[in-house]
Amino acid sequence: MSQPTNLYGQPLGAALPDWQPRPQPQAVVLSGQYCRLEPLDAARHGRELFAAYASAPDDRDWTWLPVTRFCHEADYLAFARDCQHNPAYLHFAVIDLQTGRAVGTLALMRIEPQHGVMEVGFVIFSPQLKQTRMATEAHYLLMRYAFDTLGYRRYEWKCDSCNQPSRQAALRLGFQYEGTFRQALVYKGRSRDTCWYAVIDSEWPQLKQGFERWLATDNFSPDGTQRSRLQALREA
């Protein structure tokens, strides 16, 4: 397909004559098979989250976050209240449907309705959530909300270039690597190169089908072991 041009013969991007800004994400509840996302409420979720994070044997999950793990419940509750009321972020608590307890958080951020772009970030998963079906489903629920409900065009993931677990998670979830912004930030007294990843709306139907196949109960043995990998089901 030839690229559109203007009267000067200069190349242009694809025309969007009917484009309208997308709705602003709202503090909604998103329910799945294994977990539920609820708008973060420090009074309701804070103590459970502090206890879940405190169950980790060390602080390695906080190395590439802009904050360190909280030693005192009161400090974490104050942080959770700040997250809850920060208008630049929409934080969600991940609720384990088996226990009814909050076991982690993630957020929508850098939300630009006029362009149909948003980012998922501030992902803080406790040991009870990491590498579980709930963890994958939490990301699926937010992506489905962004693309199917709100009609966004682009969904981003950014991380410290040193954060190999985050980079691997982005690729596993179907994000495409787009490049590295060198010396993008200074935090915790060090320089950060930031890796950019994204999913766009034309890619979402195939990713959605892969997620739903992976999350199906028949994809897991009685002991909870996956039968097929997410990437394999996405590419099938």
Side-chain angles (χ1 to χ4, degrees):
M1 182 180 296
S2 61
Q3 187 173 23
T5 59
N6 63 11
L7 74 165
Y8 307 110
Q10 296 168 315
L12 303 173
L16 296 173
D18 300 320
W19 171 255
Q20 295 293 327
R22 300 294 90 190
Q24 186 78 17
Q26 300 298 310
V28 296
V29 175
L30 304 172
S31 297
Q33 301 175 75
Y34 311 109
C35 72
R36 180 176 64 250
L37 303 187
E38 297 180 354
L40 178 63
D41 183 326
R44 181 177 178 184
H45 305 123
R47 288 181 173 81
E48 292 177 357
L49 288 168
F50 176 77
Y53 297 141
S55 69
D58 54 42
D59 296 344
R60 70 184 62 201
D61 293 336
W62 299 74
T63 299
W64 296 291
L65 289 167
V67 295
T68 57
R69 184 163 68 159
F70 296 89
C71 297
H72 304 289
E73 183 181 273
D75 294 334
Y76 177 74
L77 291 176
F79 168 74
R81 284 192 294 271
D82 289 343
C83 290
Q84 177 183 346
H85 297 295
N86 188 333
Y89 296 80
L90 183 54
H91 287 266
F92 290 88
V94 182
I95 310 300
D96 181 343
L97 292 185
Q98 287 193 329
T99 66
R101 299 180 68 83
V103 289
T105 59
L106 69 174
L108 296 175
M109 53 192 282
R110 304 187 189 280
I111 301 163
E112 299 182 350
Q114 70 273 28
H115 303 301
V117 177
M118 67 173 75
E119 177 183 344
V120 60
F122 238 115
V123 179
I124 313 178
F125 286 180
S126 72
Q128 293 93 326
L129 179 56
K130 290 175 61 178
Q131 298 180 333
T132 66
R133 279 178 270 186
M134 290 186 294
T136 297
E137 187 175 56
H139 283 293
Y140 162 71
L141 291 172
L142 268 192
M143 293 171 77
R144 188 179 67 180
Y145 179 57
F147 288 116
D148 289 353
T149 303
L150 301 178
Y152 273 59
R153 305 173 62 235
R154 176 178 169 86
Y155 189 78
E156 298 177 336
W157 176 297
K158 303 184 185 80
C159 64
D160 191 313
S161 63
C162 297
N163 188 349
Q164 287 298 327
S166 182
R167 297 178 67 171
Q168 292 166 4
L171 295 175
R172 176 182 174 271
L173 293 169
F175 288 81
Q176 298 293 314
Y177 171 68
E178 296 183 333
T180 298
F181 283 37
R182 298 175 298 163
Q183 298 186 183
L185 296 172
V186 176
Y187 76 138
K188 291 184 174 178
R190 59 181 186 261
S191 178
R192 165 172 150 165
D193 294 352
T194 298
C195 291
W196 285 53
Y197 300 81
V199 173
I200 58 175
D201 53 1
S202 61
E203 299 163 345
W204 170 241
Q206 183 176 357
L207 298 187
K208 179 181 179 181
Q209 187 175 64
F211 277 120
E212 292 176 350
R213 288 173 172 172
W214 189 86
L215 290 165
T217 54
D218 61 7
N219 186 44
F220 297 89
S221 64
D223 67 357
T225 302
Q226 66 176 355
R227 301 185 192 277
S228 298
R229 296 168 59 244
L230 178 58
Q231 183 177 358
L233 293 172
R234 184 166 64 239
E235 296 174 353

